[in-house]
Amino acid sequence: MRKVIVRVKGRNYPIYIGWGIFDEFPKVCLSHKIKPHIAIITDTNVANLYLDKLLKILTKSGYKPEPIIVKSGESSKSLSIAMKIYTRLIEINLRRDETIIAFGGGVIGDLAGFVAATFLRGVNLIQFPTTLLAQVDSSIGGKVGINHPLGKNLIGAFHHPAFVFSDVALLKSLPQREITCGLGEVVKYGIIKNKKIFESIENDAEKILKLDPKIITEIVHKSVVVKSTIVEMDEREKKLRMILNFGHTIGHGIEASLNYKKLKHGEAVMLGIVGESFISLKRGLMNEKTFERIKNLICSLGVKFPKKLLDKEKILTHIGYDKKIFSERLNMYLPLGIGKMKFVDDVKFAEFEEAVEFLFNFEKLRQNSK
Amino acid sequence: MRKVIVRVKGRNYPIYIGWGIFDEFPKVCLSHKIKPHIAIITDTNVANLYLDKLLKILTKSGYKPEPIIVKSGESSKSLSIAMKIYTRLIEINLRRDETIIAFGGGVIGDLAGFVAATFLRGVNLIQFPTTLLAQVDSSIGGKVGINHPLGKNLIGAFHHPAFVFSDVALLKSLPQREITCGLGEVVKYGIIKNKKIFESIENDAEKILKLDPKIITEIVHKSVVVKSTIVEMDEREKKLRMILNFGHTIGHGIEASLNYKKLKHGEAVMLGIVGESFISLKRGLMNEKTFERIKNLICSLGVKFPKKLLDKEKILTHIGYDKKIFSERLNMYLPLGIGKMKFVDDVKFAEFEEAVEFLFNFEKLRQNSK
């Protein structure tokens, strides 16, 4: 079991990573002095696969877990579902010094994290991510939140967990599409910070997609280090965390335009990575060859741009609503090459229009690259 | 204009207090580098009295204020009203570095503060309290939140304002009942920390109720000092802030049992002060003479215990739901005398039953004391 320490706001918390470490979870809870009465927030998918096992090992170690199960999918990240969870937490009488476990993917981590941040003005939280996306991204950094019909994550808070517990072997039960999605964020880490991650996907794509235990655990570990390093540095330099938004401004616009249906978050982010790299290319910040590498890598992961479902104007409207735009011109990081980014403070809305226009030809590119 | 500095979480923020300082508000905003685009969250009552004036002076100083008006009353402290405000903030495109002004009483401070804490994961907040209760209590300390049908303030966060701005002259437009309510918290400060506040109400009750500018401004200032001192000390000693809950465990039980109708928060707290002092008396922590002083003071402020509307069992059920109870026995501060409290960790539910029972005779006491 590997351990990455995150240092934020004057306190440290660990991220435990390993292949097949599930059974060690209660022991880790005990070592963190987690009180017996705990709420487990999870979704129908994860509950079907792993909830019985989790309840069994926790109960065996003296815990009194109370599961709260929501429907799988982005639509659960809503204020009305949060309200239902608050009600349940009051009914089971969860107290201020007790704990909520977010047991699931990114949606559960964000939703359960937001509830933990706001119930009784904040209760203890454990992130137990079960998807690649959640293990390498959403469970780390304390950002929690829910969606508003007009935009993703517009309602939220910062709430760091007591610890994060990532059993990489859980990924075996994920559909291939979910693995691909998680790799989107991993590609992002390669481009923004660690060239080796990018090259590892270029070289070992097949082994990674087949979840070779050694290679995928290595990839998760490297990704966690990138993410937690940036989260830590951001404590000192506020704007640095924006580097993690790479691919997300356009990605969120696409997701929101589809009402968060049809396309997975990771897929939208990969399309966003191509779009925002295009802005870099057009500005002369990135050369054509690097842009080709990025496009090819993402195409090789099988991402689809569902052109027929999409509406250019809708996407652009939603980019306008994106919370990261906070003045006439957008502040953002753009890639210079693989592993290197530049902060720019003058991206115009017209550049997004061009990039989205370009994405509407992405399907064709994908076919060419095969 | 007086200034009290609150030191929390490594940063300082000021509370401005004065009689008739309204016109200086835009100047203070400018000195705090508040950006031009601001949302003013207020209620129908305050809007009728002061909104035009506020909009006028802000606009004159180059600000672009956008008012968001909700219905007056506790029922606005709900998730559905918060949702409506989020929608409006998105529509007016309020950005992350812009500001929300909470312009109103305690309900508005809590509601607008909660929205500011959670919109875009936190935007800038100014507390501009317009009631005595808000000026001496709810605007200070960063506690923000909304109600759940099963309990008050069960959903919330900590969000400190950029500054608090209290024009005591605004209290002139308050109904007498609201002044009385605010004085409930002031009485609390007298009992928990500053004997002089308590004695000042005993001696100058009439002048205070008539809002003598000098005396009431002095009372507000002294109260703000008590509250902010406790908030600051709580940064080091976590349990200290519980001293501020004096009167609130029983008070919230009473309010919740009435669905937050009929009785004002401050009135419920005053009844709670009597009830919790009764627990002290029964334990032999407080003598009969001090208990009489407390009862007489509160009776002299005209508080009514609406016996016919109340249900003993309901009150006790809601005390059980109260978030401050987090184990079989309650941790709380109980008064030893005027200005002196003691932390106890073994208050039993039965003691609350006795105290509530006692309160059902409060009406009689009130009549006797006249």
Side-chain angles (χ1 to χ4, degrees), chain B residues 129-286:
Chain B
T130 60
T131 65
L132 181 55
L133 188 62
Q135 291 185 352
V136 298
D137 182 20
S138 54
S139 69
I140 310 157
K143 277 194 181 180
V144 294
I146 54 180
N147 298 326
H148 186 284
L150 296 175
K152 206 166 144 61
N153 293 321
L154 292 177
I155 306 164
F158 284 90
H159 196 60
H160 287 292
F163 64 88
V164 182
F165 189 87
S166 287
D167 180 357
V168 186
L170 296 190
L171 308 186
K172 280 186 299 185
S173 59
L174 284 182
Q176 192 62 55
R177 195 170 167 199
E178 283 286 351
I179 301 289
T180 309
C181 291
L183 286 177
E185 295 294 333
V186 175
V187 171
K188 182 188 82 177
Y189 296 134
I191 298 173
I192 66 174
K193 191 92 181 165
N194 189 334
K195 207 175 171 169
K196 283 185 187 160
I197 295 177
F198 192 92
E199 290 168 352
S200 163
I201 305 172
E202 275 183 329
N203 299 332
D204 279 325
E206 210 172 328
K207 281 187 186 169
I208 291 167
L209 287 167
K210 283 184 181 159
L211 296 179
D212 175 283
K214 197 165 167 252
I215 299 178
I216 188 74
T217 305
E218 187 63 36
I219 285 267
V220 170
H221 182 254
K222 274 205 179 83
S223 297
V224 165
V225 170
V226 171
K227 172 94 191 226
S228 56
T229 305
I230 291 169
V231 167
E232 283 178 8
M233 286 166 76
D234 185 60
E235 292 281 307
R236 295 184 294 278
E237 196 197 339
K238 276 297 159 200
K239 76 177 188 194
L240 191 74
R241 194 162 177 157
M242 286 176 70
I243 206 170
L244 294 169
N245 288 338
F246 177 53
H248 282 65
T249 301
I250 292 178
H252 281 169
I254 294 172
E255 277 184 292
S257 81
L258 290 169
N259 254 321
Y260 308 106
K261 282 163 196 156
K262 309 280 180 191
L263 212 56
K264 296 269 174 191
H265 173 68
E267 290 169 332
V269 167
M270 285 207 263
L271 296 171
I273 287 175
V274 175
E276 293 173 27
S277 298
F278 178 80
I279 294 177
S280 237
L281 177 78
K282 282 286 142 183
R283 288 187 157 227
L285 294 176
M286 176 186 275

Side-chain angles (χ1 to χ4, degrees), chain B residues 6 34 48 50 53 87 89 103 110 122 145 168 229 235 245 256 258 266 268 270 272 285 290 293 295 300 338 345:
Chain B
V6 189
I34 302 300
N48 285 340
Y50 301 117
K53 189 177 172 191
T87 303
L89 292 173
F103 185 49
D110 283 3
V168 186
T229 305
E235 292 281 307
N245 288 338
L258 290 169
M270 285 207 263
L285 294 176
T290 309
R293 268 179 87 187
K295 277 191 300 182
S300 78
I338 307 302
D345 60 3

Side-chain angles (χ1 to χ4, degrees), chain B residues 42-51 68-73 76 108:
Chain B
T42 191
D43 68 20
T44 41
N45 279 353
V46 178
N48 285 340
L49 290 165
Y50 301 117
L51 185 59
I68 301 174
I69 303 169
V70 304
K71 226 180 92 189
S72 301
S76 284
I108 287 298

